Amino acid sequence: MTATNDIALLAMSQSDAALFPVVGIGASAGGLEALIEFFRTMAPRSGMAFVVVTHLDPDHKSAMTEILSHITTMVVGEVSDGTELQADHVYVIPPNANMVVERNRLRLVPRRATPGLNLPVDVFLQSLAVARNSQAVGVILSGTGTDGTLGLKVIKEQGGITFVQDDTAEHDGMPRSALNAGCVDFVMSPPLIATELSRLGSHPYLSGGLMAGSRSRETSDVVPKTELSRVQLHDGDDDFNTVVRLLTAAVGVDFTHYKPPTLRRRIERRMLLGQHATLQLYAQRLQDDPAELQALFQEVLIQVTRFFRDPDMFLALRETVWPKLVAGRPTDAPLRVWVPGCATGEEVYSIAISLLDFLHEQGQSTPIKIFATDISERAIGIARAGVYLDSIATDVSPERLRRYFVKTDEHYQIHKSVRDLCIFARQDVTKDPPFSQMDLVSCRNVLIYLGPVLQYRVLPIFHYALQPGGVLVLGESESVGGFTELFDVLDKSHRFFLRRETLRRMTFDFVPGRTSITGLSAIELASDPGRSLLDVQREADRIVLAKYAPAGVVVDDSLRIVQFRGQTGMYLEPAPGTPSLDLLQMARDGLLVALREALEQAKRDGVPQQRDRVFVQSNGESHEIALEVLPLLIPASSKRFFVVLFSRSNIATHTNPTELASVDSGLCTTSASGVVQKPQAHRDKLGGVSTIADLTARDYDIARLRQELDATKSYLQSVIEAQEAGNEELKAANEE
């Protein structure tokens, strides 16, 4: 088990943790002097807990606890497994162990048993970030190597605060590595770090526990109550909207429909770093400081990623998805993958390596093309270079490091042969044109940051981008939501979805501020000479069909509606309860029996079915209609679809029995000239005189009930036949 896996298993939600910040301090060579300076300046009653993680000889007892006990009046102790965290205490890692945060306790875990670097600072800081979120503080002091950089990166991603020692460090390897990674908020000497922490410790962002009691932001859509109460302390939505508008105008990315809790967290973090007391003051700062707008933009772009994140998901790709996509594929047909929201590229290269491993094991040479996009030019630049810290050895096996990476100093670079398979480009998936004919789209942990408006825009784009049989991969807390008509579940636990074939035409308008095209106007045609006459003809056909063609729906083999055609409100209505597109659930009173019987026969025989004189109840009135079910043949498709058409009879609404007597009851006579003549009155069986209206109402009810009875008999007969056939099959199976 890797250290990263240890973190994933042990770092848990802090629902029962005390609301105080935890400062993780990493140091190595030359770090003792820096630690002494830090704790000599640090106030003993700051309300924070301090955890010191250093590189120790596994075979010798450390004197760190005794040394620090003489420097500070805070309680200093060496950690034992299960030590509870308390404010104003200092905890020191013991030799020959790694350490993580579990709930509000420090747990000791074994050092890496496999060959390679042991990175105790990264292990602890990553677990601290996941466990405490915005209450996590990371400090890197003097030391050689790159340990701590990945930990600071995760702390910043989760909303915490990060520090590194400035040029006063005796060995600048660890601080410089973090600085180069762009994950540092403050660069200071140890005494100044202590002073700044004393100031920040009383700030509501840290002391109020903004994220306490919540799950990691990656897996939660719920805004913590503590955050809601804190947001109310600020100036209100007007100032928040001003900040969002300024950001959108500066960077060209519309954040209007991103989830407000995520934006608020990131804005408040920048306010903390810049010492702005109110949103109004921060909005004024943004108006005068373009650099701060860019810093806020980078802050909002949450890039939580690493190599082979969620190993079980990649194992499922290997066992379920790759065999499905490769089976029966021509040897020269490339397998096409799109990774929107690719961040700094770890996910992209992980998919490439996983696929290359699979093809190598199968002895196949299928070409691979991977397209990766993100809205951050900075992230795209890092991804193109493919250079990563040597701490990735905790996530990438030695065999894969040897085969797919080149070691350069304290870094690993993706081998050129793998980089050549991946094309990186800047793209805003919410408004820029998508790729097409993809076999797989992997968009993990992006939708959780988008509001409903953007989610409903992006998911149909993914459906469009995938070719028939393509697979969509989402994050562990994401789903296709209301688009079950576009995707089938392939693997629920790993969020694999299979593209459904649908007749619904996906039309996208990739112009900011517009989400659909409703029609063409003469002004639009005149201003755009590029529109062809064919476009006009198609639009004219659409208008004519909408006005004169019968209303109806297109359903798939499971009778789920995939397209509405015309006005169907007279025949269908949403059923109470959970929203559903099931045709039979939406059928109005009187329609169900005939509709179900016609559909069953059309499915069984594969020929059109028609039912006349079907009486439907709508708006308190009874309407006589005809319905037709037409099997729809799609070339090269294994799925079946059906067109269900509804049409009004010549006599549609039975609200005036006097006018319908002769037609509905067969009581009219026709003269030689062809004129319909109405009888004046008839005697009933008892010899009494019945009015035409009485006869009409009675005969109408008889006709309707007779039609329903015939349809029910036919449907029950089909059910009996199906049951008998099933029984015969069971008998045969039993005998075998």
Side-chain angles (χ1 to χ4, degrees):
M1 180 181 295
T2 65
T4 304
N5 288 337
D6 292 337
I7 295 167
L9 291 172
L10 295 175
M12 302 175 65
S13 172
Q14 296 301 293
S15 57
D16 59 350
L19 300 181
F20 58 85
V22 178
V23 182
I25 306 174
S28 181
L32 179 58
E33 183 62 31
L35 284 167
I36 292 173
E37 292 180 4
F38 174 85
F39 282 108
R40 184 173 285 146
T41 308
M42 190 69 219
R45 295 291 179 267
S46 64
M48 295 180 279
F50 300 86
V51 182
V52 177
V53 182
T54 57
H55 293 172
L56 301 174
D57 188 324
D59 300 321
H60 292 84
K61 181 175 175 59
S62 170
M64 182 70 68
T65 302
E66 290 77 6
I67 294 173
L68 296 183
S69 296
H70 292 89
I71 302 300
T72 177
T73 58
M74 287 186 282
V75 177
V76 181
E78 188 174 274
V79 174
S80 59
D81 189 36
T83 298
E84 183 178 2
L85 285 167
Q86 298 182 53
D88 302 322
H89 283 58
V90 179
Y91 303 91
V92 179
I93 189 173
N96 199 29
N98 285 341
M99 185 167 55
V100 297
V101 182
E102 178 185 351
R103 298 187 183 275
N104 198 43
R105 295 183 180 276
L106 297 173
R107 305 307 300 262
L108 301 181
V109 296
R111 292 163 58 99
R112 281 175 55 98
T114 56
L117 294 175
N118 181 57
L119 304 172
V121 181
D122 276 334
V123 169
F124 176 76
L125 293 184
Q126 287 181 83
S127 77
L128 175 63
V130 174
R132 304 299 283 232
N133 303 119
S134 66
Q135 288 191 299
V137 178
V139 179
I140 298 298
L141 302 177
S142 175
T144 58
T146 64
D147 192 14
T149 298
L150 183 58
L152 288 193
K153 182 180 179 182
V154 178
I155 284 178
K156 188 169 183 179
E157 288 166 352
Q158 297 293 333
I161 309 299
T162 59
F163 295 82
V164 298
Q165 187 175 355
D166 59 9
D167 55 10
T168 60
E170 183 178 344
H171 297 275
D172 68 349
M174 288 169 58
R176 179 167 42 82
S177 173
L179 274 171
N180 293 339
C183 57
V184 177
D185 295 317
F186 296 98
V187 183
M188 298 175 170
S189 65
L192 288 180
I193 293 175
T195 302
E196 186 66 14
L197 274 176
S198 298
R199 181 186 71 84
L200 295 178
S202 60
H203 194 281
Y205 187 87
L206 288 176
S207 63
L210 176 61
M211 292 298 297
S214 73
R215 299 168 58 200
S216 168
R217 288 178 296 104
E218 300 172 35
T219 59
S220 176
D221 296 334
V222 180
V223 186
K225 292 181 180 179
T226 51
E227 180 178 356
L228 290 173
S229 63
R230 288 211 328 100
V231 168
Q232 294 170 359
L233 298 177
H234 294 297
D235 301 69
D237 288 338
D238 289 343
D239 295 313
F240 172 75
N241 292 334
T242 298
V243 171
V244 173
R245 285 196 299 270
L246 290 170
L247 180 62
T248 297
V251 301
V253 177
D254 189 357
F255 289 101
T256 305
H257 297 296
Y258 279 60
K259 288 188 177 177
T262 299
L263 292 176
R264 287 189 185 276
R265 278 192 293 266
R266 292 294 159 174
I267 291 171
E268 288 181 335
R269 187 178 181 279
R270 293 302 307 176
M271 291 172 59
L272 168 67
L273 299 181
Q275 303 185 35
H276 299 286
T278 66
L279 268 172
Q280 184 178 20
L281 291 175
Y282 186 62
Q284 293 174 358
R285 162 80 182 276
L286 293 177
Q287 291 175 342
D288 302 330
D289 190 350
E292 179 59 25
L293 276 169
Q294 290 299 320
L296 178 59
F297 177 52
Q298 295 301 325
E299 185 80 33
V300 170
L301 300 181
I302 304 169
Q303 296 168 346
V304 183
T305 183
R306 66 174 185 265
F307 280 95
F308 297 100
R309 184 183 186 191
D310 188 0
D312 289 341
M313 190 280 296
F314 279 95
L315 181 60
L317 278 180
R318 165 66 181 81
E319 295 179 347
T320 304
V321 177
W322 299 147
K324 173 180 175 56
L325 296 181
V326 172
R329 178 180 297 273
T331 56
D332 60 343
L335 199 153
R336 295 162 59 86
V337 177
W338 177 27
V339 185
C342 68
T344 48
E346 289 92 330
E347 176 87 359
V348 182
Y349 292 126
S350 297
I351 290 175
I353 291 171
S354 173
L355 186 50
L356 287 170
D357 280 347
F358 173 79
L359 294 176
H360 177 73
E361 293 170 5
Q362 301 299 313
Q364 298 185 13
S365 57
T366 302
I368 300 172
K369 289 185 178 179
I370 301 180
F371 304 88
T373 60
D374 199 273
I375 60 176
S376 171
E377 289 281 9
R378 175 181 171 274
I380 288 295
I382 295 173
R384 284 197 187 106
V387 177
Y388 302 97
L389 295 173
D390 54 9
S391 57
I392 66 170
T394 60
D395 297 319
V396 184
S397 68
E399 173 61 23
R400 282 174 167 167
L401 287 174
R402 181 189 62 80
R403 180 181 297 179
Y404 299 112
F405 292 81
V406 177
K407 187 73 168 69
T408 58
D409 299 327
E410 296 175 343
H411 297 82
Y412 283 102
Q413 183 174 27
I414 298 287
H415 197 281
K416 187 177 185 299
S417 62
V418 181
R419 282 185 282 131
D420 289 345
L421 303 176
C422 307
I423 299 173
F424 293 92
R426 187 191 182 279
Q427 179 202 46
D428 185 344
V429 70
T430 66
K431 69 176 184 179
D432 294 332
F435 296 92
S436 62
Q437 297 300 308
M438 294 290 128
D439 295 288
L440 181 135
V441 173
S442 177
C443 184
R444 298 206 294 155
N445 302 307
V446 174
L447 297 182
I448 57 175
Y449 300 113
L450 306 182
V453 171
L454 292 182
Q455 290 187 12
Y456 272 77
R457 180 169 174 80
V458 167
L459 283 166
I461 291 175
F462 292 160
H463 180 272
Y464 165 83
L466 288 166
Q467 60 183 350
V471 177
L472 171 65
V473 181
L474 298 180
E476 62 179 355
S477 296
E478 299 170 333
S479 71
V480 296
F483 289 99
T484 53
E485 77 276 15
L486 300 183
F487 299 96
D488 285 323
V489 176
L490 180 62
D491 184 333
K492 183 177 181 180
S493 62
H494 296 104
R495 299 299 192 270
F496 296 164
F497 300 90
L498 193 65
R499 182 191 190 273
R500 289 175 58 94
E501 293 186 46
T502 176
L503 296 181
R504 174 179 173 183
R505 183 182 178 185
M506 297 300 162
T507 303
F508 308 109
D509 179 9
F510 296 104
V511 179
R514 294 170 57 189
T515 58
S516 63
I517 296 178
T518 57
L520 303 177
S521 66
I523 296 176
E524 287 175 310
L525 288 172
S527 64
D528 188 357
R531 293 191 187 274
S532 66
L533 182 60
L534 180 60
D535 293 330
V536 180
Q537 292 173 346
R538 287 175 176 169
E539 182 67 10
D541 290 341
R542 185 189 68 79
I543 294 173
V544 172
L545 288 172
K547 187 169 184 179
Y548 298 107
V553 294
V554 179
V555 298
D556 60 15
D557 200 39
S558 61
L559 304 187
R560 182 162 43 185
I561 299 173
V562 297
Q563 185 186 49
F564 290 91
R565 302 178 67 85
Q567 300 297 322
T568 59
M570 176 179 169
Y571 318 101
L572 306 174
E573 65 175 345
T578 304
S580 172
L581 289 176
D582 186 282
L583 175 62
L584 298 182
Q585 289 187 19
M586 296 185 67
R588 286 187 179 271
D589 290 344
L591 179 61
L592 177 61
V593 175
L595 178 60
R596 180 163 50 187
E597 192 263 339
L599 282 164
E600 290 290 340
Q601 195 164 344
K603 291 172 67 175
R604 182 176 64 250
D605 301 337
V607 296
Q609 299 293 321
Q610 186 168 344
R611 300 293 182 271
D612 298 317
R613 302 201 66 185
V614 179
F615 300 97
V616 179
Q617 299 293 325
S618 177
N619 299 324
E621 300 175 351
S622 182
H623 304 267
E624 182 180 333
I625 70 166
L627 69 89
E628 190 172 6
V629 178
L630 304 171
L632 191 61
L633 301 178
I634 306 296
S637 173
S638 60
K639 292 195 175 183
R640 296 191 300 174
F641 295 87
F642 302 88
V643 179
V644 182
L645 299 177
F646 308 102
S647 59
R648 301 278 294 271
S649 298
N650 291 332
I651 304 173
T653 307
H654 299 282
T655 56
N656 190 344
T658 304
E659 296 179 1
L660 302 180
S662 49
V663 177
D664 207 32
S665 307
L667 300 176
C668 289
T669 59
T670 306
S671 68
S673 62
V675 177
V676 177
Q677 298 177 342
K678 299 179 180 178
Q680 297 304 311
H682 290 270
R683 294 184 179 274
D684 61 19
K685 293 181 179 180
L686 298 177
V689 178
S690 298
T691 64
I692 294 173
D694 290 338
L695 285 171
T696 300
R698 182 185 64 190
D699 292 347
Y700 162 69
D701 287 339
I702 291 173
R704 177 177 57 81
L705 292 172
R706 186 171 293 159
Q707 179 261 333
E708 291 183 1
L709 181 60
D710 290 342
T712 302
K713 286 180 178 179
S714 177
Y715 175 70
L716 288 176
Q717 182 61 33
S718 67
V719 171
I720 292 171
E721 291 173 357
Q723 185 180 18
E724 289 176 349
N727 287 338
E728 290 300 322
E729 291 176 1
L730 287 174
K731 287 180 182 178
N734 246 355
E735 291 171 359
E736 291 177 1

